[in-house]
Every structure is written in C-alpha cells, then in structure tokens.
Amino acid sequence: MTISSAVCNSFKQEILVGTHNFTVLGSGGNAFKLALYTSSANLGAGTTAYATNPGGGGNTEITNTSGSAYTAGGKSIVSVTPALDGTVAVCDFADISFTSASFTANGCLIYNDTQADKAVCTVAFGGDKTVSSGTFTIQFPAAAASTAIVRIA
C-alpha cells in the first residue's frame, strides 16, 4: 500500500457544488479533522472519505500504543479563513499536537467532519514518523501560493 500527497479528486468536484466551507468554524464554516495512518494505508487522489481502513488490507489508521493521545477519527483541526495569494486561493490550518503519544504514522488524511467525512487531501510524511511517550506535532506550511496545504490555482 502507499500514501501519496494529493488534493483528492472528489474534493475538486465538491468545491464546485459548495460542499466544503473553510471559513472559520464559529463563523459558519465546516469542522475538519486530521486522521493519521500507517504505511499500510492506501491514500491519495482517489480517496473519497475518511475510513479506518482505506483500501482494505487490515487496520491502517494508527493506534496509540500507550495512553490516549490518539483516538480513531483523528483530531479536529482549526481552519483559517481562505484568502488569495496573488491569483491562487489558499487555505491554512493551525498546527496540531498529540501529547503523551506513542505511535508511528506515515501520512494523514484531512477530511470534512461536517459533510459526511468527505476527503479533502492526503499528505505523505516521506516515511514513518515515530513518537514514544512524547509530543507528535504537525506543522502546516505557510498559507502562500507555493506552500499552502490546500491551494487552487
């Protein structure tokens, strides 16, 4: 199985029909979550929704090996209202951390928890990232035309 970084194909169509609202949650936007996966997951452009076992082949969403830092479905992420950077629409999320964590993750899925867990994008970490009784932090890149995690040119 493999995880590749991609904006999900289904998301591209769904934004044209108004399915996703990235405005800040308290201002009428949707709730988004980030779920972590092992290297056994099959995530990429063809991913359409959150699942604990995308692509079959066993449980591929990570499990916390000790403590309660990670639960199935992942963690809520805070959307920053979209903006334009030149001619590119960009969206950013606040960085998130899983504290007192012990697990290994190979990538993640960002999905819309408000809209039936519809997939937004997948991110490959470039290999296994392991934390043992520590803090696992995901830092999102700057909301700029060439770096934003979600960008529409």
Side-chain angles (χ1 to χ4, degrees):
M1 300 301 203
T2 185
I3 299 175
S4 61
S5 294
V7 172
C8 298
N9 294 332
S10 57
F11 170 76
K12 295 172 189 177
Q13 183 272 331
E14 291 161 358
I15 60 173
L16 294 177
V17 296
T19 301
H20 303 274
N21 183 346
F22 286 89
T23 305
V24 176
L25 183 59
S27 300
N30 296 154
F32 293 88
K33 292 184 91 175
L34 182 143
L36 297 170
Y37 290 88
T38 70
S39 59
S40 298
N42 186 22
L43 297 171
T47 303
T48 59
Y50 163 77
T52 59
N53 184 16
N59 185 10
T60 55
E61 184 175 11
I62 68 127
T63 55
N64 201 47
T65 56
S66 66
S68 59
Y70 189 85
T71 57
K75 193 170 187 176
S76 295
I77 53 177
V78 178
S79 176
V80 176
T81 298
L84 282 175
D85 184 19
T87 61
V88 179
V90 295
C91 182
D92 191 18
F93 297 97
D95 298 345
I96 64 166
S97 295
F98 299 87
T99 57
S100 301
S102 294
F103 56 71
T104 298
N106 192 273
C108 69
L109 168 69
I110 295 174
Y111 67 96
N112 190 331
D113 194 39
T114 303
Q115 297 294 332
D117 296 342
K118 293 180 182 291
V120 173
C121 66
T122 59
V123 180
F125 294 161
D128 284 345
K129 304 299 179 192
T130 301
V131 61
S132 180
S133 299
T135 300
F136 188 87
T137 300
I138 296 176
Q139 290 183 308
F140 287 97
S146 62
T147 56
I149 200 78
V150 177
R151 55 188 182 261
I152 302 169

